[in-house]
Every structure is written in structure tokens, then in C-alpha cells.
Amino acid sequence: MNTTMTRFSQLSFKSAFFTTFALSLFITSCDAPDPEPEPYESGVVVLNAGNFFDNNGTLSFIQNRSTTVSTDIFQATNSRRLAGSMQGYNEIDGKGVILVDNSTAGQDKAEIVEIGTFKSLGTLAAPDIENPRQVVRVSANKAYITCWGATGDFSNFYPNPGYIAVVDMASRQVVKKIPVSKGAENMVVSGSEVLVGSVGGEKALTVIDLNTDTVKSKVELGNNPDPIGLDATGQLWVYSAKEMIQMNAQTKAVGSRLKINTTADRNVGNITFGRDRQNIFFGLFSYAADGTVKGETYSFTIRDASISLATPFIRRHFSGMAVDPTDGTIYAGVTPSYKQAGYVVRYQPNDRSVKDSIRVEIAPSGFFFK
Amino acid sequence: MIGLFGSGAMAQPGPVSLSAVTVRATAPERFGAGQKLQRIDSAALGQFRFQNLSELLMLQTPLAFKNYGGGQIATVSFRGTSPNHTAVLWNGINVNQPMTGQTDFSTLPVLGFDQISVQYGSAGSAVGSDAIGGSLLLRTLPDFAGVGLRPTAGVQIGSFDNMQVQAGAQYTGQTTEQGQGAGKTVVYSNTFNNRYPYRERGFYYIEPTTAYQQGLMQDLFWRNRRGGQWSLNTWLTDYAVTVAPADTLGRERTRTQGYRTQLSYEADRWTLRVGWLRDVLDYAKRDFSRPSHSLTDRLLTRLEREFMHTTANGNAWQVRLGGEVVHYRTRVDGYGGQLITENRADLYALLRYQTQRLTVSANLRQGFVTRFDPPLTPSLGADVRLVQRERVGLTARASVGRSYRVPTLNERYWQTLGNPDLRPERGLNAELGLTARFQPSPAWQLTSDLTAYRNRIDDWTYWNPDRGYRVENLQQVLARGVEWSGTVAYGQGRWRAGGRVGYALTRSSQLLAYNAYARDIVGKQLPYVPVHNTSLMAYGSYRDVRLTVQSVVQSRRFSTFDNSQSLPGIVLTDLVLSAPLKLGPVRARLQGQVNNLFDALVLNVKQNAMPGRSFALGLVVGN
């Protein structure tokens, strides 16, 4: 393949990838205290997507909330690379799951690691895991991984339905595949249900019964419904087609649809809850004629009757964003290019001032707080 | 029997054969006094006849390759530059693929060329565009001496269900009243099924690929009684490589086809050359029947006139004046699919002056491109033979020269991302070298070659991620380094032994901070350019049985511009044993090869493992 083609398709690919990193479950271990602190016990895991065709996504670790960064922590422990784009990370009952998306078909995987050391405990490989998108804990020792399955070319990128790989964390095996919408993407766990969004052009949210691992129902909401999470009052928020939809998580009755009133060339990304789930941040960005990306970050509260775009929360667009649940600090990823390390810029939640900027690795696009 | 030799020797008169009938136009490297030229020796050409040029050059030169493995693309970094900074000349014509401006070295066979030389450093004034880091010179030559028909055939079976078949013939007619004809035909077919017995090595996947390569080389020569010579050279290639072939949705296929033919007539110091080059590239994912298609035709005409004068005291002047016009016609889906045409022209004057101790060359070239003119490109170089004795020779050389690169068609015409307003890249290269040879006794021969260079390239193009990968003249790169190589050869009776050691230190870095984050890049080693590169080759032979060990040791290669990530260093060792075989009246040669002898783990640029130890057995009959 020639260089330009590589770069061009990478661009199209990347732009399809502006995904949100939903706040992950926060697990505290109640086991006997470990006498020796492990290297990655407490801090922030930064997900660096990497450059797609270089297969060089990594995890960085910010010790506690300091400015000390350990880079490529999986490689540091296991003396090998993950060899793919970094697609997701979550911790399930004492084990971490890293989603790795390789540029070559059939080489994707999920690495299961010890959470304190990131020592590899096992690998889930293709065809069980193909184009993994997100991993969540659904119950004790059970994880769901959304997967696109094998993708096609750009004329038909999602030739397959997506699926959820049901992982038994004890045996570290995929025990079942649940077919869902094509382009299966983000999940939100709500009681005994898992709500599954998608980016493949379908309109319904898929509802899974997590006890039986079967599809329970589909809820039509709008194009590419993206479940954001449950807010402080237990209401479910879903993003679809420039609308923030608030709905009853149990009955699925739509409460309100808040329109993001903007032009067609503006894209929505980086949707994440603020501290205490009282507000929602999102980014709006567009490509200028000269190819530069211009964008800002906005915020609205879960009680707002409409979304105001009058004053951006931060006049900048990021390659990833999340809020530290312990103190509300905003972690924002900056990607100067996919061929050099990016930065994490930390903002104070109250006055929106920049606290500091930390150099991490390529394309910081997600965060996991522990 | 020296494996390779440094160049000072090449600048001397001798290797260029002047036919008895006429003065042939000499190769452009003859005007490269002061520069380093490395000619790959014929033993290596024979030994590597089943391999591609990236494999040969990686083991025998400091050229570094960005390799995807398994028959996929291998691009070169010559003296710390980009893949489109190496000119690849086939019988004097630049055959870099015009869309990308580079050559996939995995598609260049070793077989079929009579002479392969590596010209180090800028040669913009003698060669034209692209010759910024160096040039690769591939040449086919007539053999008028060996009258008769000499057929040859070869087959090699390798690990992973890989097989290569070659056949050819060399033919030379009797000299008649009209003249004499000679020619050569070579066909080759390589099938790389790459059925690896493992899916991964050291937790790194081996990328599943298959590759098919077919080629035909046809060279015909006719020299007439009036001293003229016709040459008709044709080289056709059809290569296809498929990644993940078993995955019917995710598989990707890249097919490249090359049609190259040129006709030249040399007489009375005039040379007229016409050529047609067609490059086709088809890339498809999933459904191979609807690929993204690229096609570029080039029609070339070149006229050269040589003037020679020898003074009374034996000093020789040689001047070559030349002009070339190339018409480009390109249709590429990525450019919008419409026909784009442009014309390029070059005018040049090359001068060589030679005395007993000194060879000087001074060259000048001006290129003209539709809507886009490269700069005037001069160069000056000299070889000084400091010591010239029977057993000891010492030659110093120095050169300084400009170089340039016309932006590729992709860089200018790719929809949205291409930039028609790009400026040409401009390089300024200076180098110093010292070549020594020493023959302490008739049995021993030693050579040593040391070169230091500095090459600054302005307006280096960059697909700028800040602007959605639009291409801009953003960077300024300084490449500098030191190269040393030494050879030793020993011969006593029927025993021969020898070896070559080469070492290159390459520092190539970006100088300009063009945005806030570029300060993380300034001064850092360019990606995929190893700082240290060592190659070793040792051989021993008794009669015609020859054992060769060759090894390349490369320091880590950074994969990012800020040097925050790297690919681990490489240690690769190959072992080759070849022996003659008698098949009745037919001469044959059997060659066994062990690749990656120590089963080292090497990662390609996609973080896939390259294959481990593998074996190949080849048989060549005839010739």
C-alpha cells in the first residue's frame, strides 16, 4: 500500500473513532491488605490509542494524582508490547482487561492482567475478539466486551452484526457471543440490564438481560444511539444525532430530548459525566478547509431544559476527556500528531484553569481512575 | 574475490569497457568524482539470485529498510533520508514509482541485472530528481564475447511452502558483415505461500500474507559495423501481495504492475534514448474485483552528446551535454480519476577532467516541470590519488553538491490532502572520503574506506497531522554520518577466504520547530533510521565449494518523531553453502541457505514478528 493511501485511510479511520470513554466502574478490593504496595495500585491509567497502522497503542500510568508518569506499563512488566491500537481498559473483580485493535484482520485481542502490576494472565484472541470496542463489568467475574466483528471496506464497513463477547473472568474465556447491532459500541449497566449502543447506522439501543446473556428488547431512539450512563438521579442519558436524550432506565420512557443546536459540519464527541454525575460534558468540533480541527468543550446540567452553546466550558477540543470521580479534576488528552507523544492537560473543575500538563504517549484518548 | 569494494577504485579508468568498435557512452557515475560508489560483486549476485534487493542490500550496505515482511513493501532509508530520497535507475532511467516517488525494494530482484551499484550521497546534478540520499544503479550489459547460446534454469524451495522458479538464456551471435547481436532473456516466478507453522512468535503475531511475483527481463543488443549500438531493454513485473488472505472480509490485496521498456542508439558519441514506463497499482480490501486503481505512464526521450579531448601530456577532458523530456499521464482514483498530464524536462552538462593523480567532475543540471521548476543543481567533486604503488593505494575524495526532489504525484494531486503549491525539496550534500588498499603479500588483499558526510535538506515535505495530513514543506532535516568498511581477501592454492565489515553511524534529525509541539521533535533522530548499523560477511571456499556467513546488527529504530517509542534492534544472521554439481555434461550448482540462523525475534513496523529460522535449497543449472 502506498504511503498516501495509508495516511488517507488512517485519517478516515481515525475520524470514525472519536469515541467517548464512559466512566468506568470503580471497584474497591476488600481483600486482606497487601504488605507491599504494587506499582500501579493507585493513580490514573491513560489509554493512548497509538497510530493505527503502527499498532503501538499503550497504557501510561500517572502515579496517584502526581505528575509522575510511567509509560507503556504493559511492556514494562511483560517485556512485550500490546501490538495494536489501545481500544479500552477496565477492571473487573481484581483483573484488568485491555482491548487491543490491530490494523490487520484477525490479530485483535483482549489481554487480561493483574491490576496492581499489569502482569499478563491470559489473552483472548480472534476469532473470539474481533474489533473490540468497550469492556464493562456486568456481574461478579463476568465481563462484556462489545465487538464489531470483522469489518469490511469503506463501501460497507460493517458487513457483520456486532456482538458481545461474554467473558468468564475466572476461567478467562469467552463463553458466549451475543449478536447485537452492527457497530456495537458503548455499554451501560443498569440493574440486571446492559444497554448497548452502536455506531453502525442502526437506530435502536439493544437491551441485554445480564443474567441470561440474551437480548431482551430493542429501544428505537435515533441514529447511532450512544448510552452515556446513569446520572445522579438514576436517569439514563443517551446521545443520538445531536440530541441528548434523558430517559427512564427501567421503563425506557423518554423524558426529554435536548437538542444541540449547531451546524451540520460540527461533530459531537468526548461525552462524559462530570463529578457526581450532575452535569455532562461534550465536545463540538469541525474540520476547517485547511484541515485543522477546531472545537470547544461544553457542559450542561442534568436539570437543564435546553443546551446552551453560548459560552464554551473550555475553548479547546481534545482527543479524549474524563473526570476524576475523587476530586472532579478534568483530564483532557491532547494529540499533536499520531507520530509523537501527546499530553494530558488537567483542568480545575471550578475555575476551569489549567492545573498542569503531563506528557504521556501517542494519542491519549481515555482515562481510568483507580 | 573481495566481497565489495569502495569507490575510489571505481573512479579510476578501467571498469568501463570501451568496445573495440566504438566509444560507448559512459555511465553517469563516471561523473561522480569525489563520491562513494559500491559495486556489488558477482559472487553476491549469484548467491542472492533467489532473493530481492532489500535482502541483499541490508546485509551488504548501510542502507536501512522499513520492512513489512512476508512479501509486503520494503522501503529504503539511505543515509538517514526518506524512501523517496533514493533514485533507482534501471539502465539510466529513474524507475521510482511516480505516484509515491519511491521503490518497493522487495519487488526488485537480484536476478537479471549484470551490474548493481550503490552510489552514496547526492547525485542530483548527474541523475536528476530523488537522488538526495543516494542512488541505486541497475544495469544490464551485452556480452559480445561469448558467442553461442547459454541457457540457465533455477529453482529454490524454501520453508513455509515458498518456491521460486527462474529460467533464462544468454545468446550471442557471430560477428557478420552487418554486425553482431547479443541478448538475454530472464523470466522468474516467485510464490510465497508463507505457511508459517506458528501463529505468533514471542507473543507477537506473524501477519498472514501470500505473495506472487512474476517478471520478465528481455535485453537485446545489436552493434553494427559503423560503430553504432542498438539496445532494447524491457522489464515487466506483476506482483501481488495479500494480507490476511483467509479472512474474506478483512483481506487486503496490493497489486503492482510495471512495464518498462527503452530503446537506445549510441553512435559517434551521440546517444538517443526513448522509453515507456507504466506503473499500475491496485489496492483492494475484501472484494478484489473493485480495487482502487492508479496508473501512470511516462514517455521519455533523452539525447546526449559526449565530447572528449586528451591533451599531449595524457590528461583527459570529457564533457557530456544532455537533454531529456518526459511526458507524464496519470489517472489515479485518489486524484479524482481524471487524466492529469504534465511535462518534465532536464538540461545538463557533466564535466570530467582526469590527470595521473586527480579526477575532477563538475556538473550542472536544470530541471523544468509543468507549473513547477526545480532549482539549478550544481555539483563539484574530486578524487586525489595520494599513493599509487603496486601494493599500496590511497585515494582521498571530496565532493559537494546540490540535490532536489520533485514532489510526487500523490503529494501534489491527492484529493484534499495533496498540495499543488509544494516547493521542491532541496538538499546540499558535502562529503569527504579516504580509500586505501594494501597487499602485504600476493595472498592477501586489504581495503578500507572511510567516508563522512553532511546532507541538509530544506523544504522537506511532511503530511501534517495538524492539518488533517495535508502535505506541506514543513521540515528541514540534517543528516550526517560516518561510514567505514573494510575488506580482507586471502587466496592460497584452491583455498579462498575473506570478509567484509561495514559500519555506519547515522544522525538524521529535524531542525525546524514549525509549531508548539514540534519542539519535542527538533534534534531527534528521524523514525526508522538506526543510529548504528553494522554488517559483517565472511566466506571461505575450497575449489568451488563456498561457505558464507553474513550478519546485520542494527541499533533500535525509533518509530515516532519524538523518539518516545522504538522498535528493538536487529541481529540477523544468514548462512549459505554452495557447491558445484555435475549432472552429466551439464554444469549445476546447489545452494543451501539458513536464514535467521539464531532464530532471532525481529519486529516489522506493524509490530508483527518476522519469521524465525528458515531454510532454502536452490539448484541452478547451466550458465
Side-chain angles (χ1 to χ4, degrees):
Chain A
M1 193 191 308
N2 71 52
T3 315
T4 306
M5 199 179 287
T6 307
R7 280 173 171 138
F8 187 69
S9 35
Q10 169 189 311
L11 178 76
S12 322
F13 217 81
K14 283 288 164 199
S15 54
F17 276 10
F18 279 97
T19 57
T20 58
F21 187 72
L23 276 181
S24 305
L25 289 171
F26 195 66
I27 311 297
T28 45
S29 172
C30 303
D31 294 346
D34 196 330
E36 292 232 356
E38 291 180 312
Y40 310 118
E41 229 172 48
S42 171
V44 182
V45 181
V46 181
L47 286 76
N48 304 287
N51 187 33
F52 191 66
F53 286 100
D54 286 343
N55 294 309
N56 59 352
T58 54
L59 294 176
S60 314
F61 191 76
I62 303 174
Q63 289 293 343
N64 299 312
R65 267 50 176 176
S66 71
T67 54
T68 308
V69 177
S70 308
T71 54
D72 204 353
I73 56 177
F74 182 87
Q75 146 88 15
T77 300
N78 300 288
S79 300
R80 64 181 166 97
R81 288 130 204 263
L82 286 163
S85 276
M86 174 55 55
Q87 196 49 58
Y89 177 71
N90 209 334
E91 296 185 353
I92 293 110
D93 300 339
K95 296 189 189 82
V97 179
I98 307 169
L99 304 184
V100 181
D101 180 8
N102 190 283
S103 64
T104 299
Q107 298 192 358
D108 300 341
K109 61 186 174 180
E111 286 278 357
I112 300 178
V113 296
E114 281 178 7
I115 57 171
T117 60
F118 281 78
K119 185 176 180 317
S120 175
L121 299 171
T123 305
L124 308 174
D128 284 344
I129 302 294
E130 287 211 59
N131 288 303
R133 304 301 300 167
Q134 199 203 24
V135 52
V136 294
R137 176 192 188 272
V138 294
S139 63
N141 269 320
K142 184 155 94 176
Y144 277 6
I145 301 174
T146 41
C147 296
W148 286 350
T151 50
D153 57 11
F154 290 102
S155 65
N156 179 15
F157 195 69
Y158 302 100
N160 287 322
Y163 64 90
I164 288 173
V166 182
V167 183
D168 173 21
M169 295 298 291
S171 64
R172 286 160 229 156
Q173 277 182 346
V174 173
V175 293
K176 187 178 180 181
K177 283 184 176 183
I178 312 169
V180 289
S181 302
K182 60 184 182 180
E185 193 84 10
N186 289 335
M187 292 174 280
V188 166
V189 181
S190 166
S192 65
E193 293 176 344
V194 179
L195 310 160
V196 188
S198 60
V199 294
E202 296 192 16
K203 292 187 163 48
L205 206 60
T206 306
V207 183
I208 309 260
D209 181 330
L210 63 81
N211 294 313
T212 60
D213 301 324
T214 52
V215 175
K216 205 165 145 185
S217 61
K218 296 228 173 192
V219 183
E220 194 110 340
L221 283 173
N223 202 35
N224 293 337
D226 174 20
I228 303 163
L230 303 175
D231 69 16
T233 65
Q235 293 282 298
L236 174 68
W237 286 85
V238 179
Y239 169 78
S240 166
K242 302 231 168 113
E243 280 185 337
M244 294 289 183
I245 305 166
Q246 187 196 37
M247 56 195 284
N248 185 302
Q250 282 77 44
T251 66
K252 315 295 182 300
V254 171
S256 59
R257 286 174 178 263
L258 307 185
K259 189 98 194 131
I260 300 171
N261 265 316
T262 186
T263 49
D265 62 318
R266 305 267 280 164
N267 305 288
V268 176
N270 290 336
I271 308 172
T272 187
F273 274 115
R275 190 185 186 183
D276 304 329
R277 304 184 163 238
Q278 297 281 356
N279 70 307
I280 293 174
F281 293 110
F282 66 94
L284 271 183
F285 66 96
S286 58
Y287 298 99
D290 68 356
T292 52
V293 179
K294 297 193 181 343
E296 307 86 34
T297 300
Y298 296 86
S299 168
F300 66 96
T301 78
I302 58 172
R303 274 167 285 278
D304 287 350
S306 65
I307 295 172
S308 164
L309 301 179
T311 316
F313 187 81
I314 299 169
R315 292 187 186 278
R316 192 165 183 184
H317 179 69
F318 304 104
S319 54
M321 188 170 154
V323 175
D324 185 344
T326 61
D327 63 3
T329 301
I330 297 160
Y331 281 67
V334 172
T335 302
S337 96
Y338 290 95
K339 275 290 193 182
Q340 72 183 94
Y343 288 81
V344 172
V345 182
R346 290 194 282 204
Y347 288 88
Q348 305 279 12
N350 304 325
D351 61 1
R352 309 168 193 187
S353 64
V354 173
K355 191 170 144 196
D356 53 19
S357 169
I358 311 167
R359 191 159 175 255
V360 285
E361 294 170 89
I362 299 168
S365 45
F367 304 90
F368 181 86
F369 300 93
K370 55 191 279 186
Chain B
M1 284 306 289
I2 299 172
L4 293 164
F5 32 99
S7 65
M10 301 325 307
Q12 295 173 23
V16 180
S17 67
L18 301 181
S19 117
V21 198
T22 185
V23 178
R24 292 275 155 260
T26 47
E29 63 264 30
R30 192 157 165 81
F31 297 92
Q35 290 193 299
K36 178 174 163 188
L37 186 84
Q38 179 183 353
R39 189 166 291 173
I40 309 299
D41 82 328
S42 55
L45 296 187
Q47 202 170 21
F48 280 85
R49 62 181 290 146
F50 291 106
Q51 287 174 271
N52 67 52
L53 264 172
S54 72
E55 293 165 320
L56 183 152
L57 297 174
M58 188 172 86
L59 286 162
Q60 304 225 342
T61 70
L63 275 63
F65 289 89
K66 185 179 169 190
N67 200 339
Y68 287 82
Q72 295 184 79
I73 190 169
T75 57
V76 69
S77 170
F78 199 148
R79 283 188 170 177
T81 58
S82 278
N84 50 26
H85 293 143
T86 298
V88 176
L89 302 184
W90 167 68
N91 288 316
I93 294 184
N94 187 336
V95 291
N96 273 339
Q97 202 251 40
M99 287 83 93
T100 59
Q102 62 194 38
T103 290
D104 174 0
F105 277 61
S106 77
T107 67
L108 296 178
V110 174
L111 179 81
F113 300 112
D114 300 297
Q115 202 180 77
I116 297 176
S117 314
V118 180
Q119 156 100 61
Y120 290 72
S122 298
S125 59
V127 164
S129 180
D130 305 354
I132 290 180
S135 313
L136 179 71
L137 314 172
L138 309 171
R139 197 167 291 147
T140 49
L141 298 167
D143 178 7
F144 288 116
V147 173
L149 175 72
R150 297 179 298 286
T152 176
V155 61
Q156 177 175 278
I157 310 238
S159 300
F160 320 130
D161 196 13
N162 292 341
M163 185 161 121
Q164 286 155 277
V165 182
Q166 310 171 341
Q170 198 150 16
Y171 29 88
T172 308
Q174 297 282 355
T175 309
T176 66
E177 282 297 309
Q178 283 72 40
Q180 187 188 14
K184 191 174 66 167
T185 306
V186 173
V187 291
Y188 57 93
S189 172
N190 305 329
T191 305
F192 301 110
N193 289 312
N194 294 333
R195 294 213 173 93
Y196 305 115
Y198 31 74
R199 189 178 170 201
E200 55 183 70
R201 299 189 66 226
F203 292 101
Y204 292 95
Y205 285 117
I206 295 241
E207 194 170 39
T209 58
T210 55
Y212 304 99
Q213 309 184 332
Q214 291 180 335
L216 164 71
M217 287 165 158
Q218 170 73 69
D219 300 288
L220 295 171
F221 304 95
W222 175 259
R223 58 179 183 183
N224 59 36
R225 275 300 183 195
R226 292 181 305 281
Q229 179 177 308
W230 290 92
S231 307
L232 177 63
N233 310 102
T234 304
W235 179 20
L236 309 176
T237 53
D238 186 359
Y239 294 3
V241 57
T242 306
V243 176
D247 189 319
T248 51
L249 288 170
R251 63 185 185 177
E252 297 171 72
R253 190 172 79 161
T254 307
R255 182 177 183 196
T256 54
Q257 292 162 274
Y259 303 79
R260 307 167 193 92
T261 186
Q262 57 172 306
L263 176 69
S264 62
Y265 183 66
E266 303 164 48
D268 195 23
R269 293 178 186 167
W270 284 94
T271 305
L272 176 66
R273 197 185 294 267
V274 291
W276 170 61
L277 306 171
R278 168 174 284 185
D279 287 278
V280 182
L281 190 152
D282 289 294
Y283 166 78
K285 189 175 180 191
R286 188 174 65 104
D287 178 3
F288 295 164
S289 67
R290 294 181 301 112
S292 160
H293 183 68
S294 306
L295 185 150
T296 303
D297 281 317
R298 282 175 284 178
L299 298 160
L300 171 143
T301 309
R302 183 189 293 173
L303 185 65
E304 288 177 338
R305 172 75 165 101
E306 205 123 328
F307 301 89
M308 292 173 100
H309 174 69
T310 307
T311 62
N313 54 6
N315 298 341
W317 290 89
Q318 186 178 357
V319 174
R320 180 187 297 178
L321 300 178
E324 176 183 287
V325 178
V326 188
H327 179 62
Y328 281 66
R329 302 174 71 78
T330 185
R331 258 182 223 278
V332 176
D333 286 351
Y335 306 166
Q338 76 282 22
L339 176 70
I340 297 172
T341 62
E342 71 177 31
N343 294 311
R344 299 189 189 182
D346 282 61
L347 288 174
Y348 50 92
L350 314 178
L351 167 82
R352 175 187 163 96
Y353 172 68
Q354 186 173 349
T355 71
Q356 202 62 22
R357 285 201 166 273
L358 182 72
T359 307
V360 178
S361 57
N363 308 325
L364 193 63
R365 174 180 293 255
Q366 176 67 60
F368 305 92
V369 181
T370 307
R371 297 186 299 280
F372 180 98
D373 288 337
L376 188 68
T377 307
S379 70
L380 183 66
D383 293 330
V384 185
R385 286 171 285 283
L386 303 170
V387 180
Q388 283 187 91
R389 287 195 226 122
E390 196 190 332
R391 294 189 161 189
V392 185
L394 187 63
T395 302
R397 52 178 200 273
S399 75
V400 58
R402 280 212 158 276
S403 60
Y404 66 95
R405 183 175 74 83
V406 178
T408 64
L409 299 177
N410 278 0
E411 285 175 319
R412 282 183 286 153
Y413 297 122
W414 199 271
Q415 282 177 321
T416 315
L417 305 185
N419 180 354
D421 301 323
L422 281 178
R423 295 181 298 277
E425 292 179 349
R426 290 162 293 128
L428 179 62
N429 180 74
E431 62 187 90
L432 290 170
L434 201 58
T435 304
R437 67 179 162 81
F438 179 46
Q439 191 167 17
S441 76
W444 288 91
Q445 273 201 39
L446 298 146
T447 69
S448 167
D449 185 275
L450 182 68
T451 309
Y453 64 90
R454 184 185 190 280
N455 193 3
R456 200 191 71 199
I457 301 110
D458 288 302
D459 279 334
W460 180 293
T461 62
Y462 182 54
W463 298 82
N464 186 4
D466 260 5
R467 295 189 50 206
Y469 294 95
R470 281 158 175 75
V471 63
E472 293 179 273
N473 292 104
L474 271 190
Q475 300 192 321
Q476 183 184 58
V477 170
L478 179 63
R480 60 275 197 207
V482 178
E483 294 154 348
W484 176 77
S485 66
T487 65
V488 56
Y490 169 82
Q492 188 72 267
R494 288 167 164 173
W495 288 93
R496 297 274 180 278
R500 177 185 185 276
V501 182
Y503 169 76
L505 172 76
T506 311
R507 279 285 288 124
S508 185
S509 53
Q510 222 284 111
L511 301 180
L512 281 182
Y514 46 84
N515 71 20
Y517 291 101
R519 59 166 192 262
D520 289 347
I521 289 172
V522 171
K524 300 284 170 45
Q525 182 82 354
L526 288 192
Y528 310 113
V529 178
V531 175
H532 305 283
N533 194 348
T534 308
S535 58
L536 301 150
M537 187 274 285
Y539 66 89
S541 68
Y542 177 71
R543 302 180 80 163
D544 273 343
V545 179
R546 180 173 159 125
L547 179 71
T548 311
V549 184
Q550 36 206 1
S551 194
V552 60
V553 182
Q554 263 178 23
S555 62
R556 66 182 170 160
R557 292 153 298 152
F558 295 107
S559 55
T560 57
F561 282 100
D562 61 355
N563 294 177
S564 61
Q565 280 197 10
S566 59
L567 295 161
I570 292 174
V571 182
L572 266 181
T573 304
D574 292 357
L575 193 67
V576 186
L577 179 67
S578 73
L581 201 66
K582 269 298 233 183
L583 299 172
V586 180
R587 286 197 323 150
R589 205 162 177 83
L590 195 62
Q591 179 170 302
Q593 186 159 345
V594 186
N595 297 316
N596 193 359
L597 180 65
F598 300 113
D599 209 24
L601 176 66
V602 173
L603 295 185
N604 71 15
V605 295
K606 288 201 273 187
Q607 315 262 6
N608 288 121
M610 300 286 267
R613 185 185 302 118
S614 67
F615 305 91
L617 188 64
L619 177 70
V620 178
V621 180
N623 211 351

